[in-house]
Amino acid sequence: MAIDLVQHSDRFYFSNHHWEETLLLAQAHGWVPLDAPSEEWERCYFSNDGHTISDRDAKALADALMLALRSVPDSEKAHLQKFIAFCRKGGFRIE
């Protein structure tokens, strides 16, 4: 199963596993999703049920992942940098 992130006409793809790892990496580097629909944000954001990450949370996600880049293997950095640029454009829906 895959995660499709939709932002206006842009899309970004992750495998389920890689998506969860990316969110947990961001959390480990200070990301706190302030606009999550529930305190148990993992239940909402780990699935592709159409939940939305707000503009504010997307930008904070990008900031946390920028900090995390130092700890990411070189083979994964390009994908993560593209995702950071995607997040900087604002909020998105998880499909």
Side-chain angles (χ1 to χ4, degrees):
M1 192 144 82
I3 297 291
D4 187 13
L5 307 175
V6 180
Q7 180 185 74
H8 309 292
S9 62
D10 290 335
R11 292 182 176 268
F12 203 91
Y13 303 97
F14 281 99
S15 69
N16 279 12
H17 178 73
H18 194 219
W19 173 239
E20 289 178 20
E21 283 184 343
T22 300
L23 292 180
L24 293 174
L25 178 66
Q27 182 186 33
H29 287 84
W31 183 58
V32 177
L34 299 175
D35 298 326
S38 158
E39 285 185 26
E40 296 178 2
W41 62 267
E42 297 96 334
R43 296 177 105 191
C44 301
Y45 292 165
F46 283 1
S47 68
N48 55 358
D49 293 337
H51 289 283
T52 301
I53 292 184
S54 70
D55 288 344
R56 173 171 68 164
D57 284 347
K59 290 175 183 171
L61 179 59
D63 292 342
L65 291 172
M66 280 297 294
L67 295 174
L69 273 175
R70 294 176 284 204
S71 64
V72 173
D74 288 341
S75 61
E76 297 177 22
K77 284 186 181 180
H79 188 257
L80 191 57
Q81 288 171 325
K82 289 177 185 174
F83 180 57
I84 290 168
F86 178 85
C87 290
R88 294 243 185 259
K89 295 178 192 173
F92 52 88
R93 189 173 62 258
I94 306 166
E95 296 182 347

